[in-house]
Amino acid sequence: MNNIISLSGNLLLIICLATSMLQSLNLFTANSYTNNNVKLFSTIQFTSIVLAFLILIFLFTQSNFGFELVTFHSHSEKPFLYKISGAWGNHEGSLLLWILILTLFNFLYSLSAERDKLYKNKVIAIQSILIIGFVLFSIALSNPFTLNESPQSEGLGLNPILQDPLLAIHPPILYFGYVGFSLVFSLAVAGLLSSNINNVWAETVKSWTFLAWTFLTAGIALGSYWAYYELGWGGYWFWDPVENASLMPWLAATALIHCVVVLQKKNTMQSWTVLLAIITFSLSLMGTFLVRSGVLNSVHTFASDPGRGLYILSFLFLVLITSFTIYALKSDGIDKENSYSIVSRDAGIMVNNWVLITILFIVFLGTIYPLFTDLVLNTSLTVGPSYYVMTITPVIIILLLFMIISPLVNWTAGKLSNVIVKMRYVLISSLTLVLILSLYFFLFSLTELTIIFLCIILILTSISSGIIYSRKNIIITPSLGRTLSHSGFGLLLLAIVSNAVYSEEKIFDAKVGDTLKLSDNTFRFEKINQFEKQNYNSIQAIFYLMDKNKKVEKFSPEIRFYNDPPTITSETSIVHRLFEDIYIVMNVTQATNSISVRIHVKPFMTFLWIGVILIILGGVLSVFIKNKKINA
Amino acid sequence: MTSPVKKRLIKFLLSLIVLAISILIIVYNLRDNIVYFYSPSELQDLNTSDVRILRLGGLVSTGSIQSETNGIHRFKINDGNEEISVKFEGILPNLFAEDKGVVVEGKYIKDELFIALKVLAKHDENYMPPEVIDSLKQTGNWQGE
């Protein structure tokens, strides 16, 4: 029976491979058969991978230990949800997920209405070449349907820190973003080949780019939130290489979404937009390579295999060389004449493009340099988080400045005096607010106050320019997406800075009945519970935040002892309040009569996540909003 | 006076200067924030006047862990040849144990004492930091595959 399942899984992959090869022919020939059946073939590509993926999930839910992948990454006593998510919580399965999303975007695009049919077929041909690359990889080097030489009775289990509802959905969402840029890449390369990069092209590209960007943003945010409550270090971003690997395509993509809009509105910046599209997808590929090859020394390293790394690396280089060659040959002269004055929205967007690229370069250098010294100089080192903070801070100030000014000036030629007039109330109120803040919160340095000041202006100007009040109803303007995302970004940065300055933490050796004090907060250590769950045993401590003698909030941090694989994890207990999170985590100690407890007070965390949600909402709106007024 | 060529030249030179300055700042910052990794043997040979933050990795020596009630822990890290005493104030990670691989970050003080500011935890109890594997291989004390 298992032989048949394994065979059909592989067969489905081969069907997808064969159809993709047929589709890729459209790039080279005007074969009428393949050209006329694009929709059908795209459906076959997608359906075959959906079926293969469902088979894999089925194998995991059945805990079929005849298969290598299930044996290594699952366990019969694992909760049902994690059996399903176990299907993509490993290298082979996540690769299949990657292919699934590649074919999904291919399929969705094949359904879309595109005036130029030959161009559309080229896009699908390029997308199919990408599919070929990954399906070959899956069949040859990381086959999810490999059988065990001898059937096993029990699996090795899934790493307990991955057994988390958020982490079940984090990879699909992140991949949706990463892989979404494959279609943007295909659209760009096909556009170069067909020489039709213009505002009509941008119209189509815009929706796909915003879609991928929104998912990438959400994926990064979910990962960050997971790290915040699961790793128990009190932080949400560690400048870890794996995190950086997802941040780099995001930075390039953020530059890209702005350029696509400019291209759509003004029919300029052709070659730069196309270049960004290529760079963004290349960075997505590089992210996959960095995470999946195991070359990174990361807190998140889950899989490693040099052979696989080599394949992805070769594929990455192939994609890079081919696309840049096409770019070099075809991009010459595609730019339409465009002159704009230094004070104009065009210039502002261009400056911030460069600022984003600079941040990208900073992150790239910090991520790659340790790899370089390790491989070439044979020296082990790490780049500390302060590198990123110190170098990015001044650049962020420039970014904020132009984020504020650009939307207020006109395209092509604007006037600074107009900006100041438009901003006068916002400027005065922000300045007053910051002055009051600086008196009350005296820990802020001048740089931090500058950033906070700019953030407040950004939020206020975004809101005031985004929503126009008419007599009766609020009209949603095309810029509402920008309003949400930009004010969300302001809020996010505001929260990051205040959080960094005002976070507090303290470690206690606590016995039951103890009273613990951290700044204004008093906690009581009430009792210890012990209990057994399906696949772990747990020690739980109960703490109460006290207000005089009243219990205000309950905390229940845990230490879990998982059986398969045998691992100990600390579960944090977080209480979210409007202005601060209180975060308690405990650890096993050598001492028997007390436990180690770490209490964090993290201000403004709620605002940080609200900021992120606003950014995402802005992205969602921008997928749908056309550049005309829509009545709410 | 301002011919298009001259304009373009000024633009080009200006961007070159901006580029050069920013790269200089970035690289300078990078150099300042690098944390080098040492094995106990390498640390012994190190010029101890270096007060920079560094990382030390190896195995936690058998029977060396001493925990005091005020959250101060003392233990030793070895690579089979040399041993370094470490002092750490804070919570030790769950997977910290004798004979297991560990990486600590902190400062090395002259009298052979390493003041750890961080003890880096990994998630998997069988996980061995790659640098520790390398240094154990170098001293010939690596017993894995």
Side-chain angles (χ1 to χ4, degrees), chain A residues 45-91:
Chain A
Q45 282 169 306
F46 178 53
T47 321
S48 59
I49 299 298
V50 169
L51 290 175
F53 197 67
L54 286 177
I55 290 178
L56 190 68
I57 291 179
F58 177 74
L59 291 176
F60 270 86
T61 55
Q62 296 297 305
S63 298
N64 188 329
F65 299 121
F67 286 81
E68 244 182 49
L69 196 64
V70 185
T71 316
F72 279 116
H73 301 282
S74 197
H75 193 280
S76 58
E77 278 173 21
K78 205 162 69 169
F80 189 72
L81 173 67
Y82 305 128
K83 282 186 183 169
I84 297 178
S85 70
W88 59 79
N90 57 74
H91 173 79

Side-chain angles (χ1 to χ4, degrees), chain A residues 173-344:
Chain A
I173 291 186
L174 188 67
Y175 275 19
F176 220 88
Y178 269 168
V179 185
F181 290 111
S182 68
L183 186 65
V184 178
F185 169 86
S186 301
L187 287 162
V189 176
L192 279 175
L193 291 173
S194 313
S195 310
N196 67 345
I197 309 279
N198 51 34
N199 47 0
V200 183
W201 175 86
E203 186 97 32
T204 324
V205 173
K206 192 197 128 208
S207 305
W208 296 110
T209 315
F210 270 102
L211 186 68
W213 179 84
T214 306
F215 272 98
L216 185 61
T217 313
I220 295 172
L222 283 176
S224 166
Y225 188 64
W226 169 80
Y228 174 62
Y229 72 73
E230 183 66 35
L231 295 183
W233 301 338
Y236 48 87
W237 192 266
F238 303 98
W239 297 105
D240 181 274
V242 168
E243 293 165 349
N244 292 348
S246 67
L247 184 63
M248 287 190 271
W250 187 86
L251 290 164
T254 306
L256 176 64
I257 52 178
H258 291 91
C259 288
V260 169
V261 173
V262 174
L263 179 53
Q264 187 198 2
K265 283 189 173 165
K266 283 198 71 187
N267 204 16
T268 56
M269 291 198 194
Q270 276 83 347
S271 59
W272 176 237
T273 309
V274 171
L275 186 63
L276 278 176
I278 295 173
I279 289 174
T280 305
F281 182 58
S282 305
L283 287 168
S284 299
L285 275 180
M286 195 187 80
T288 314
F289 161 70
L290 288 177
V291 177
R292 286 293 157 201
S293 65
V295 294
L296 289 179
N297 183 7
S298 151
V299 290
H300 306 290
T301 309
F302 301 128
S304 62
D305 183 336
R308 289 167 180 170
L310 199 64
Y311 183 95
I312 305 179
L313 193 64
S314 321
F315 189 67
L316 172 64
F317 273 113
L318 202 69
V319 169
L320 275 178
I321 290 168
T322 320
S323 51
F324 277 105
T325 311
I326 294 171
Y327 178 76
L329 294 175
K330 293 278 187 175
S331 71
D332 220 26
I334 63 169
D335 280 329
K336 296 281 179 304
E337 189 63 37
N338 180 34
S339 57
Y340 49 84
S341 89
I342 294 176
V343 184
S344 67

Side-chain angles (χ1 to χ4, degrees), chain A residues 297 380 382 384 386 390 509 570, chain B residues 29 33 35 37 69 94 123 131:
Chain A
N297 183 7
S380 289
T382 39
S386 47
M390 283 164 66
D509 269 322
S570 292
Chain B
N29 262 318
N33 287 293
V35 182
F37 177 89
T69 45
N94 290 328
H123 303 316
E131 299 97 337

Side-chain angles (χ1 to χ4, degrees), chain A residues 161 231 297-299 361-362 365 369 379-384 386-387 390-391 507 509 566-567 569-570 587-588 590 596 598, chain B residues 23 25-27 29-30 33-37 55 65 67 69-71 90-95 121-123 125 127 130-131:
Chain A
I161 66 156
L231 295 183
N297 183 7
S298 151
V299 290
F361 176 73
I362 292 169
L365 197 70
Y369 186 66
T379 327
S380 289
L381 53 83
T382 39
V383 175
S386 47
Y387 157 71
M390 283 164 66
T391 28
I507 296 165
D509 269 322
T567 310
T569 65
S570 292
N587 286 59
V588 206
Q590 263 67 30
S596 272
R598 187 154 30 99
Chain B
I23 288 182
I25 295 173
I26 293 169
V27 171
N29 262 318
L30 181 70
N33 287 293
I34 281 172
V35 182
Y36 284 96
F37 177 89
R55 283 187 179 185
I65 308 175
S67 297
T69 45
N70 48 5
I91 296 187
L92 289 168
N94 290 328
L95 297 175
K122 294 290 173 170
H123 303 316
E125 73 158 7
Y127 183 85
E131 299 97 337

